[in-house]
Each structure stands twice: as C-alpha cells, then as structure tokens.
C-alpha cells in the first residue's frame, strides 16, 4: 500500500507541474442598478454571482478590501483610481458594470480593464428576460469574459495514448475536459485524478500543446498488468473456492486497484461474520512476464472472538434477560457449535437494537431511545454495552378522527384498535392507519391520506391520538391495460381481476384479483402499476404478466405403503387455447391398482364463474379380499359462494365388476356383490380452503361437508347415502413451527331408499381406517368392524382425530419434521360412536418437497391394546409425482 501512496503523490505532483500555467487575478466591484422598482439588493448579488462563476472557471477573485461607499464611482468611470485599486490589491484586471431593467427585459453591461498600462476598458454585454434567467445570463457573461478578455482558448482535441485494452471513450467519460470546451488547467488536474481512480492504470501523464484551432490535450496512460493467477494464502477457516466466490477480480482481467481494495473488504466481512474480528487481509502482485502478473491475497485470520456478555444501561421497565429475548444476537453458550450463539453479525445487531426500540415504543415508552451498541474487544471476547433512555410511559388518552369522513365517526372508531389499548402502541397506530386506508380505498378514494397526530401531555403522561384524514377525490379506473400475455386471452385475466373499467377504485378487490391471477399458475411474474389518467379522478391500471409454460408431459414413479411400487405418465394442458381450460390424460400402473383417466374442465362456463367438467376412467384395483374393475365417468359443476368457499355438484356413472373374491376372508356383503354392479351417484360438496399452499401449509384451514347419494331415484344396483365432515387447521406457532389439528366424522346408511333391500351397499364406500392418511402405525384398512367370522366389513360410521407438530429441519430445502398423535375408529350398524374405544397411535416422521414431488416417511407406534396390537409399529412411506 505504501508504494502505491508514494506513487500517487509523485504522479499528482508531476501532473500538477505538467499543467501549471499563469494565474489570472481579478477584482469585481459592485454593479450599478437601474430599474423602475427597488432592486438595490442586486448590486451585491450580481457581483457575487460573477465572482462565483469566475472562480469556477479557474480565475482567482480578490476582495477589494474597502467599504463599498469608499470605492471609486464605477458610474463616473474614474479609470486612474480603478487601476490604482487593482494594483494595490494585486489584481491583473478590474471588473465593474451595471444592470439595467426595462419592463421584463434586462441587460448586463460590463467593463474589464487591466490594472497596468493605459489600455482602455473592454466592454462585454449580455441581455436576458425575467429575473429567473439572471444566473444563466451571468454564466454567458463570464464565458465571454474568458474568451474575449482573458484570451482563453478552446480545447481543439483530446488524445489518449498508451491504452491497449481500455477503450479511449471509456476514459473520456470520466473526464471533465471535453472537446470544444474552454481550456481550464484545474479541469486537467481533476481529470488526472479521475483517470487514476479508474484503477486500471499504473501511470497517467498529461501534455498540452497549442495550435491555431486551440489546445491539444494528450493523456499518456500505462495500463496495469493482466492477472494470470489468483492465489489465496493463510486461509484455514474457508477454502480457496469460498473466498473466490466473494471477490470480484478474475483471472484474465486487467488489475484494477479499486476492485482489489473492495475485495479486501469482502474477504474481511466474510471472516467477521464467522467471528474473526481481528482479520487482516493484504495483497501483493508478482510480475511473471511483460504486462502479466499473479495476484495473491494474504490472510492473517487471527483468533476467533465470541460475545462474552451483553449488558444494558438505563433499563428499568424491563430487566436485561427480557431485553435479550428480543435479540437474535446471543452470548456464547454451551451449544454454540450447534446454535452459533456468541457470533457477532453487525447487521443482525442493528436489527436487534431496532427490535428493542420497537418494543419500548409499542408499550407506551414513546420517547425511548436505544443508543448504538458499544463493542469492547478483550482477547477472544466481545463485550456489548447498550445504553437505553426509557423516558416516561404514556397511556392512551383521547382518540379522535378528523377530516373528511365517509362513515359516521362512531363506526370508524369501532374499526380501529388503539382505543382498546391501555398504553400507547406505535404498531397498533400503524395498523389503524392501514385499516382506515383500506376503508377509504375500498370506497374509491385511492389517494386518501391518513396521518396520525400524537399529542403528548407530559403532566398527565397521556398521548392523545388523532387520525387526520384527507380523502381526496373519488377515483375511477379509466383503462385497464394488460401486457405480456402472448397465449392467455385478455378476458381470462380481466375476469380474475375483480375490478373493471369505469368503476370505482377498490384496493381490496385489486389485491384479491392479483392473488387470483397468481393462483392460476399461468404466470411467473405479475407487475401492477397505476398511473394518473386524463383527470385527477381517473386512474390507468397496467397489468404486466410474464407467462410460463402451462402444458406438460410428465412421467414418474413412486412407492407407497398402500400402492407399493407404481409408475405414472401424464399429458396435461392447464391453459388450453389460452382459455384457462384444463385437459389431462393420465395413466397409472401400480402394485395394487391400474387406472386410465381423461379429464376436461371449463372454469368459466357461459362467462360466469361456473366450472364444469367431466372425467372418464377405467380402473382396476386389488383390495385385500377381492378385485374391482371400474369403468365410468363423472360430470362436475362448481361455483364460488363465499371467500375461499366453493360449492360443487357431480354425477357419476360407474360399472364395477367384482371378482377374485377370497371366500375365506371376504365378508358376506362383499360376496353378494360378485359380478357386475351399476351405480348412479350424486355428490354435493361445500368446501372452504384457505391454506397458503397444498404441501406443507403454514396457515389457513381446509374444511368440507360432503353428501353422496346413490340409488333412488336414479336406480342401478348400488344404493346408499354417505355424509362426511372434515376440518383441518394449520396454526403458526414459533420459530417457523406449525400446529395442525384435524378432525373427521362420517356416516353411511340406506337413507332415501324406497326399498333398501333392492340396493347393495358397496364395500369400497364404507369406512376403513389405518395407514398414512388416517391412523398411522396400523396397516392400510386395518381398523374395521368385523363380522361373526372375523372378516373385515367396514364401518357405517367413523371418527378420526389427528394432532401434528410440524417443524423445519432444513427450511430452505423444504425438509420438515413432524410429531403426531392419531386416534380414530370405525363402527358397524350395531355400534354407537364411543370416543373411549378409539384406536390410538403416536410417532414421528419427515416430509420433503423434493424435485420429484412430495416425499413422506412416517413411523407410527400403536398405543391401545385392542386385539393385542399395543406396541406394534410400522413405517409409512410414500413418494412420487411427475419428474
């Protein structure tokens, strides 16, 4: 580093001598002012402007050193006295003049005279209109002074030599000196520094020559070497590749000192994040040939330091341990190797200070101040000291709303929360502002301005909160412009937006519309921009979308405890013809089932949010005691009824062939169904699904009620009525963990049949529990009532409960852990639901949203002692989607 500083000093000194030229020294006198109105203040102001512009041009301006009233009259033009004044103060030139204004136009008449000799004054004259143009006129005036009086020359040409890889234009862009400008020596000094600061040159020199056309300025540069290899020395904590990841210089590039200096800081920051706060990094270059060199970073890691203690001063309302709970920065503990406690990250520490201050402000301490932490280093330990000035605690005083109210004040006050607080809470006030803005936004006041005014009473220690409202004009959507959609039709996007042209603005509906567009899964990105329309009450809404592929050919394989090994192939298009129609052709072959399915869905039948679709299928399934071949189809309809809530109705025709019955194990009810069975089934479902995502949700719920009926009046061989209610709730807990509560209850009976004896109750519709999705630890369909021969017959009623604690293991990779408790049972016609007789299990598992799709591995341990199964356990494993 020392050699570069010495080199820079020599460079600047040599540059200064290369461009040195004789200084021009002037004295400027106050201007006379001639105008119909009083503008005497311009006398000194014009002189100050002229002086400033001359200084910018490199001229030395000298103070006259006399009170204004004792200076010779510039109006009379006593030239002898003016020359005497100039000589006395050491000025080469004396400048004086007058400002004359007639109407809006004005003129500046200036005279310039040499302090020595007897040459007459030289006149310079400019005109302007409006005092707002005075500065521009003074700039033109000083430019003319430089060209006409001081005999300044223009820059005729700029030449760059010595550069081989850095283009001349890149160098000229950092220079002040431009071709055609007035030649100024001070600009050349600045240009030398700017070129050197580019970091690519080891030497920069400038030469100036005169020609009849003006000055020719030549910059001679010597480029730094090209980097051949980059070496790292002294590193133990990080390998070479990790360090090279954070530096910007690369092999084959020109050595840039600025980048190298920046890389030194990047390497130091990398180490400091790991607690090496005594880190020192230097560099050296080793020439290997002409214009080529190796660059080595030399690292002295020093001893790793840890946080020994975090101390607070001035805290009375909260003890130190409570304040530490708000901090991610922690003192070194026994498990620091696992938790990274004791590591210092300055950014995290700054956020900790903000969190502590926020806690105070949210608990009545409006005036609380938290100082910047003071760090003390002692060997391998860091002591952190944080000073706090709590101030008094303010309670909530009077709460009011003022301004343009669109609802009765009493109604608006009911919707804000600060009235429910005992002490002042800044975060609640912010939430109230957002609440009021949403209310006004939904009413069409897109530009409503809500400002909280806090009036403190230091005697009563109360804070009166007043929300000041300026509602602005009602705003209408003048136009909705959609761009970026090359496949998806405009109407598909517009119908999801829930806002329309010429209608009032609504922030709530616009947010919901954008959310709807994301849920389509047609777009990688959606940008929303609003601009002012043709009037103050008009707004133009611009929706820019970036489409992604919506068609897919996928194939895959997987394994589950229920299916064993299976394979799948699928061709699908979720945005058929750009109309958001869904077409899917799918085949799946597994160890226990084979299925072929063709599905089509129209989400907006008749241009209303009525979905309609059909499914055609051919499936073969191997149950424990029989095989079932099904051929049929389903006709579906669905309609949104509330937020996140959809009602659906479907009709299914199914022809099932029951064969390969195990007469020793199968129940008599199954044996009676041997052969072909025709079913006509209607299913009605009301579902509310507010989960944030399908796999590994973190919040929301999924609730449904289903009624399924076959038989009268549709006919067929199958007859039953089935009722199932299902409710699952995801509850965010702490540290990214989630609680899951799930309950399910079902009943199936003859219901609504004219003569139940005319219909068969299908075994596959009855209730069986056990396996991955019900009571883990039991085998699939293992929980079931049994007949007198001890054969499983399925239940006509069931109940199931699941409790899960889901926690992240590797959050970024989507790997989660789960602890669970399951309970449930199925009952036959002769039994009532008895919660004391529930089959119970507990266990743990892992879930990973892998590139192949969701993978679940879960271990269940049976807790009850029914049928001597207590202590039995099993693993449940499933994986596989398209890959």
């Amino acid at each position: 580093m020392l050699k570069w500083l010495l080199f820079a000093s020599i460079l600047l000194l040599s540059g200064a001598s290369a461009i040195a030229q004789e200084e021009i020294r002037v004295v400027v006198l106050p201007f006379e002012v001639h105008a119909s109105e009083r503008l005497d203040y311009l006398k000194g102001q014009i002189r100050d402007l002229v002086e400033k512009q001359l200084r910018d041009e490199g001229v030395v301006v000298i103070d006259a050193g006399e009170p204004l009233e004792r200076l010779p009259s510039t109006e009379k033009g006593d030239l002898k006295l003016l020359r005497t004044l100039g000589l006395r103060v050491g000025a080469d030139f004396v400048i004086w003049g007058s400002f004359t204004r007639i109407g809006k136009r004005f003129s500046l008449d200036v005279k310039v005279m040499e302090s020595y000799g007897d040459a007459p004054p030289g006149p310079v004259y400019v005109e302007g209109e409006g005092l707002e143009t005075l500065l521009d006129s003074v700039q033109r005036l000083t430019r003319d002074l430089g060209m006409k009086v001081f005999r300044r020359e223009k820059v005729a040409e700029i030449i760059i030599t010595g550069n081989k890889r850095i283009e001349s234009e890149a160098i000229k862009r950092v220079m002040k000196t431009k071709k055609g400008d007035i030649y100024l020596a001070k600009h050349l000094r600045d240009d030398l520094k700017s070129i050197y600061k580019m970091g690519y040159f080891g030497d920069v020199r400038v030469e100036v020559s005169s020609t009849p056309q003006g000055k020719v300025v030549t910059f001679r540069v010597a480029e730094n070497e090209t980097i051949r290899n980059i070496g790292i020395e002294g590193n133990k904590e990080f390998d070479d590749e990790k360090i090279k990841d954070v530096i910007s210089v690369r092999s084959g590039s020109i050595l840039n000192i600025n980048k190298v200096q920046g890389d030194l800081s990047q390497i130091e920051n990398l180490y400091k994040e790991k607690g090496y706060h005594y880190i020192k990094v230097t560099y050296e270059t080793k020439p290997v040939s002409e214009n080529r060199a190796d660059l080595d970073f030399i690292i002295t890691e020093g001893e790793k330091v840890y946080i020994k203690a975090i101390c607070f001063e001035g805290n009375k309302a909260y003890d130190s341990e409570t304040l530490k709970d708000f901090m991610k920065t922690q003192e070194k503990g026994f498990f620091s190797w696992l938790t990274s406690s004791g590591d210092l990250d300055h950014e995290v520490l700054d956020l900790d200070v903000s969190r502590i201050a926020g806690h105070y402000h949210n608990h009545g301490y409006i005036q609380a101040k938290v100082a910047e932490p003071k760090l003390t280093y002692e060997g391998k330990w860091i002591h952190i000291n944080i000073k706090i000035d709590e101030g008094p605690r303010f309670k909530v005083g009077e709460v009011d709303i003022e301004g343009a109210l669109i609802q009765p004040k009493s109604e608006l006050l009911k919707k804000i929360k600060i009235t429910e607080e005992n002490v002042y809470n800044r975060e609640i006030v912010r939430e109230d502002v957002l609440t009021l803005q949403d209310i006004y936004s939904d009413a069409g006041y897109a530009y409503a301005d809500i400002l909280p005014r806090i009036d403190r009473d230091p005697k009563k220690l109360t804070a009166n909160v007043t929300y000041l409202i300026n509602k602005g004009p009602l705003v209408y959507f003048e136009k909705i412009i959609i761009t970026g959609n090359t496949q998806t039709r405009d109407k598909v996007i517009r119908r999801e937006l829930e806002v329309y042209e010429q209608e009032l603005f609504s922030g709530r509906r616009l947010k919901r519309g954008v959310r709807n567009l994301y849920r389509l899964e047609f777009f990688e990105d959606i940008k929303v921009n609003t601009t002012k329309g043709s009037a103050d009450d008009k707004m133009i809404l611009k929706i820019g979308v970036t489409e992604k592929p919506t068609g897919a050919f996928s194939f895959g394989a997987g394994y589950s405890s229920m299916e064993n090994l299976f394979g799948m192939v699928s061709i699908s298009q979720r945005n058929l013809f750009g109309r958001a129609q869904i077409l899917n052709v799918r085949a799946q072959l597994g160890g226990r089932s084979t299925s072929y399915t063709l599905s089509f869905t129209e989400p907006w039948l008749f241009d209303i949010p009525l979905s309609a679709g059909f499914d055609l299928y051919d499936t073969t399934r191997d149950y424990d005691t029989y095989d079932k071949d099904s051929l049929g189809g389903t006709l579906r309809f669905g309609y949104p009824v509330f937020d996140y809530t959809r009602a659906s109705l479907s009709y299914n025709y199914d022809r099932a062939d029951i064969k390969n019955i195990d007469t020793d194990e199968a129940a008599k009810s199954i044996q009676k169904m041997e052969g072909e069975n025709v079913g006509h089934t209607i299913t009605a479902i009301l579902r509310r699904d507010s989960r944030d995502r399908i796999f590994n949700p973190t919040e929301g719920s999924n609730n449904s009620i289903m009624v399924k009926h076959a038989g009268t009046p549709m006919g067929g061989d199958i007859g039953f009525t089935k009722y199932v209610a299902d409710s699952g709730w995801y509850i965010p807990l702490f540290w990214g963990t989630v609680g899951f509560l799930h309950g399910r209850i079902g009943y199936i009976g003859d219901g609504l049949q004219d003569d139940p004896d005319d219909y068969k109750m299908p075994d596959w519709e009855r209730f069986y529990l056990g396996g991955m999705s019900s009571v883990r630890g039991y085998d699939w369909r293992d929980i079931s009532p049994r007949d007198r021969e001890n054969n499983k017959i399925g239940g006509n009623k069931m109940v199931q409960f699941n409790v899960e604690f889901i926690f992240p293991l590797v959050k970024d990779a989507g790997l989660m852990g789960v602890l669970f408790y399951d309970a449930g049972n199925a009952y036959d016609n002769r039994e009532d639901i008895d919660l004391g007789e529930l089959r119970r299990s507990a266990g743990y598992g892992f879930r990973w949203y892998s590139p192949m799709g969701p993978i679940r591995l879960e271990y269940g341990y049976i807790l009850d002692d029914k049928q001597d199964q207590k202590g039995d356990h099993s693993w449940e494993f499933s994986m596989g989607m398209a890959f």
Side-chain angles (χ1 to χ4, degrees), residues 578-640:
R579 300 175 181 269
Q581 297 167 337
I582 303 170
L583 178 66
N584 188 14
V585 180
R586 178 185 177 96
Q588 178 170 315
L589 291 81
R592 305 191 68 161
S593 67
T594 301
S595 67
Y596 305 93
T597 306
L598 170 65
S599 299
F600 175 80
T601 302
E602 165 58 67
W604 279 65
L605 189 63
F606 309 125
D607 284 332
I608 61 174
L610 171 65
S611 65
F614 64 83
D615 308 296
L616 301 176
Y617 60 85
D618 183 358
T619 66
T620 299
R621 186 169 190 81
D622 176 13
Y623 289 89
D624 289 339
T625 57
Y626 64 95
D627 293 342
K628 174 191 172 191
D629 293 342
S630 292
L631 181 67
T634 301
L635 187 62
R636 302 176 270 104
F637 297 93
Y639 195 85

Side-chain angles (χ1 to χ4, degrees), residues 624-625 662-667 670-671 786-787 790-792:
D624 289 339
T625 57
D662 185 344
T663 55
D664 295 329
E665 296 290 335
I670 298 174
Q671 298 181 34
R786 297 173 180 265
D787 60 16
N790 202 34
N791 299 317
K792 299 175 184 175

Side-chain angles (χ1 to χ4, degrees), residues 834-852:
D834 185 354
L835 298 182
E837 294 295 318
L838 297 182
R839 304 292 180 90
R840 295 173 291 111
S841 69
Y844 59 89
F846 307 93
R847 296 173 184 175
W848 180 33
Y849 197 79
S850 73
M852 295 185 299

Side-chain angles (χ1 to χ4, degrees), residues 186-216:
K186 72 165 192 172
H187 281 183
L188 296 184
R189 286 190 289 268
D190 294 339
D191 292 341
L192 277 172
K193 297 176 182 177
S194 298
I195 295 173
Y196 186 74
K197 285 181 179 179
M198 291 178 72
Y200 294 110
F201 308 105
D203 189 18
V204 184
R205 298 178 181 273
V206 62
E207 298 174 359
V208 182
S209 60
S210 298
T211 67
Q213 292 77 29
K215 297 287 188 182
V216 176

